[in-house]
């Protein structure tokens, strides 16, 4: 198991350290190589995804990422922003399939801002296309142009998808739906955008290979509304890069605790990048209070999807559930009556739970 570890910025190093302690406690044979990505890489080399990191990431079977970004890099030109490192590694490694589960742990039922009957038992999976769409479409730019006889700043991006890109992400989503409840909702904006008209056509064609999965379609604005009105109507949602970015944040927050949610970004052969859904939280970086559970759960996803170590993945997930059941909480999920822990102590609690399992 060759793993490239990219702690990144903000709380990234703190939460990654706990996730690695959990991984090492499982005593699986693994080789870890740490490298720079994001703002820390910009500071050290001027490049958010430096060549040495590229080499280690390409040689690895899996990448574990903390988080990238922070306000200190806000003024930089786009090419040097930390986020470009994340976009570049996704593109270079061909990580087109982004799996973002939104699960409401019963122990955290009160964390959601929605009524508990609306979200109790919530368990949905967003499958987001990750290497195409308006994120990567050319041409793009910002320049001075002649508009009605005067010079103005003019900015443009291009949204495009080819059918093979759409088909491969739909297949991932149909397979996931098949393993779950057998229901898949494809989200588009086919009433306005040609790209998503093609998306819907390809979704309907692909459905012919999955007669056991019930496919439905929803326009993205309605999907945003339905996610807060009645999120439990969904099981697996599949959508493009831009809509998936937005809907996955929304779905994550239905659980009230973005600090709990892991994610996987997979290529066609099972190689993957695993990271928590939350960001680098610069406001609490270095204080030892961040919630490491999403990163620990990302290690579980890594063991399951890249290394086919289902038992080890389940052990980690059981350990996380058991620390929640014991009443241990980091600040982001704290409720009165519970026991508040910092990042390291939460890591210790998960390690202790692993030992007794
Ligand atoms: C995400 C993030 C990234 C994205 C940013 C940091 C580039 O919001 O992973 O959802 O937009 O994909
Ligand atoms: Mg996002």
């Amino acid at each position: 198991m060759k793993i490239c570890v990219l702690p990144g910025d903000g709380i990234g190093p703190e939460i990654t350290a706990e996730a690695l302690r959990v991984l090492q406690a499982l005593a699986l044979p693994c080789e870890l190589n740490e490298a720079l990505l994001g703002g820390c890489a910009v500071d050290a080399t001027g490049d958010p995804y430096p060549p040495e990191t590229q080499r280690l990431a390409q040689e690895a079977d899996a990448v574990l990422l903390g988080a990238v970004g922070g306000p200190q890099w806000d003024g930089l030109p786009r090419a040097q922003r930390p986020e470009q490192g994340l976009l570049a590694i996704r593109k270079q490694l061909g990580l087109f399939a982004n799996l973002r589960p939104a699960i409401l742990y019963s122990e955290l039922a009160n964390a959601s801002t929605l009524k508990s009957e609306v979200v109790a038992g919530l368990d949905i999976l967003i499958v987001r296309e990750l290497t195409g769409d308006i994120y990567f479409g050319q041409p793009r730019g910002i320049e001075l142009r002649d508009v009605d006889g005067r010079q103005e700043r003019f900015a443009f991006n291009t949204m495009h998808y080819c059918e093979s890109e759409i088909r491969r992400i739909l297949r991932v989503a149909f397979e996931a739906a098949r393993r779950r409840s057998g229901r898949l909702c494809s989200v588009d904006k086919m009433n306005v955008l040609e790209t998503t008209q093609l998306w819907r056509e390809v979704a309907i064609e692909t459905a012919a290979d999955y007669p056991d999965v019930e496919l439905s379609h929803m326009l993205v604005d309605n999907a945003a509304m339905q996610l807060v009105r009645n999120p439990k109507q969904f099981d697996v949602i599949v959508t493009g890069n831009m809509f998936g970015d937005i809907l996955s944040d929304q779905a994550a927050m239905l659980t009230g605790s973005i600090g709990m949610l892991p994610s996987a970004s997979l290529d066609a052969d099972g190689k993957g990048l695993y990271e928590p859904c939350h960001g680098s939280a610069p406001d609490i970086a270095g204080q030892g209070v961040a919630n490491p559970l999403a990163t620990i759960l990302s290690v579980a996803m890594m063991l399951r999807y890249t290394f086919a170590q289902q038992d080890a993945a389940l052990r980690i997930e059981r350990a996380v559930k058991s620390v929640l059941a014991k009443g241990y909480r980091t600040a982001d999920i704290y409720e009165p009556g519970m026991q508040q822990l910092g990042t390291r102590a939460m890591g210790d609690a998960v390690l202790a739970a692993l030992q007794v399992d």
Side-chain angles (χ1 to χ4, degrees):
M1 291 170 36
K2 235 179 150 173
I3 302 169
C4 175
V5 180
L6 305 173
D9 309 319
I11 59 171
E14 299 158 62
I15 55 179
T16 313
E18 298 315 311
L20 289 180
R21 289 208 299 149
V22 170
L23 174 64
Q24 280 159 337
L26 296 171
L28 298 165
C30 58
E31 178 190 328
L32 303 175
N33 289 299
E34 202 171 304
L36 299 172
L37 183 83
C40 58
V42 173
D43 289 347
T45 70
D47 180 351
Y49 186 34
E52 171 69 359
T53 307
Q54 296 186 28
R55 186 179 66 77
L56 289 170
Q58 283 173 308
E59 284 171 2
D61 305 309
V63 178
L64 180 67
L65 170 65
V68 298
Q72 64 266 54
W73 299 286
D74 275 351
L76 290 177
R78 177 162 308 279
Q80 283 167 28
R81 289 184 59 103
E83 295 81 4
Q84 293 302 313
L86 186 55
L87 295 172
I89 192 173
R90 288 173 179 170
K91 191 71 176 175
Q92 184 187 61
L93 301 184
L95 307 173
F96 67 92
N98 184 211
L99 310 184
R100 296 191 165 182
I103 295 171
L104 186 89
Y105 288 85
S106 52
E107 294 82 2
L108 303 180
N110 296 324
S112 179
T113 49
L114 297 192
K115 290 194 191 108
S116 67
E117 65 263 30
V118 176
V119 290
L122 184 76
D123 179 355
I124 61 185
L125 176 68
I126 301 220
V127 179
R128 169 189 176 194
E129 200 288 328
L130 203 58
T131 52
D133 205 346
I134 196 165
Y135 267 60
F136 293 94
Q138 295 289 346
R140 61 190 293 161
I142 179 160
E143 61 195 32
L144 276 178
R145 277 209 189 166
D146 202 67
V147 181
D148 299 330
R150 49 172 203 280
Q151 288 271 298
E152 274 192 28
R153 282 174 298 166
F154 183 93
F156 55 102
N157 291 89
T158 307
M159 186 175 218
H160 60 63
Y161 267 123
C162 60
E163 61 174 302
S164 55
E165 277 178 308
I166 301 172
R167 194 167 292 114
R168 67 180 183 177
I169 189 70
L170 275 153
R171 288 199 176 284
V172 170
F174 272 107
E175 297 287 342
R178 179 173 266 177
R179 288 193 303 270
R180 293 170 53 108
S181 72
R183 286 182 297 119
L184 175 64
C185 180
S186 170
V187 171
D188 61 42
K189 188 73 186 176
M190 65 82 79
N191 53 347
V192 177
L193 302 171
E194 285 81 355
T195 19
T196 73
Q197 177 191 328
L198 179 63
W199 182 284
R200 188 172 291 206
E201 286 170 20
V202 174
I204 292 168
E205 291 159 19
T206 310
D209 295 337
Y210 299 89
D212 50 326
V213 176
E214 182 195 320
L215 174 69
S216 61
H217 307 274
M218 203 177 273
L219 298 174
V220 63
D221 47 349
N222 186 27
M225 186 170 75
Q226 296 298 332
L227 262 177
V228 287
R229 192 186 71 87
N230 177 19
K232 284 188 272 178
Q233 70 185 281
F234 297 106
D235 184 46
V236 181
I237 293 176
V238 62
T239 191
N241 201 348
M242 180 86 244
F243 298 159
D245 179 44
I246 301 165
L247 293 182
S248 64
D249 265 28
Q250 192 183 347
M253 209 54 212
L254 296 174
T255 71
S257 50
I258 199 167
M260 294 296 303
L261 301 175
S263 76
S265 305
L266 306 173
D267 77 357
D269 308 310
K271 177 166 178 165
L273 180 147
Y274 300 84
E275 60 177 320
C277 280
H278 60 73
S280 58
D283 51 324
I284 57 164
Q287 297 174 18
V289 298
N291 184 348
L293 294 177
T295 319
I296 291 171
L297 290 166
S298 297
V299 169
M301 284 189 101
M302 172 189 292
L303 292 169
R304 175 173 294 122
Y305 288 104
T306 294
F307 299 115
Q309 298 271 358
Q310 176 71 4
D311 289 346
L314 285 170
R315 272 189 74 196
I316 294 179
E317 287 161 355
R318 274 200 304 274
V320 167
K321 276 192 85 68
S322 107
V323 301
L324 294 175
K326 289 200 182 90
Y328 297 135
R329 302 285 187 272
T330 42
D332 56 310
I333 52 174
Y334 179 76
E335 289 173 67
M338 300 291 141
Q339 189 177 343
Q340 190 166 332
L341 301 182
T343 311
R344 172 46 57 105
M346 187 54 105
D348 287 340
V350 175
L351 288 174
L354 273 179
Q355 301 316 328
V356 300
D357 184 36

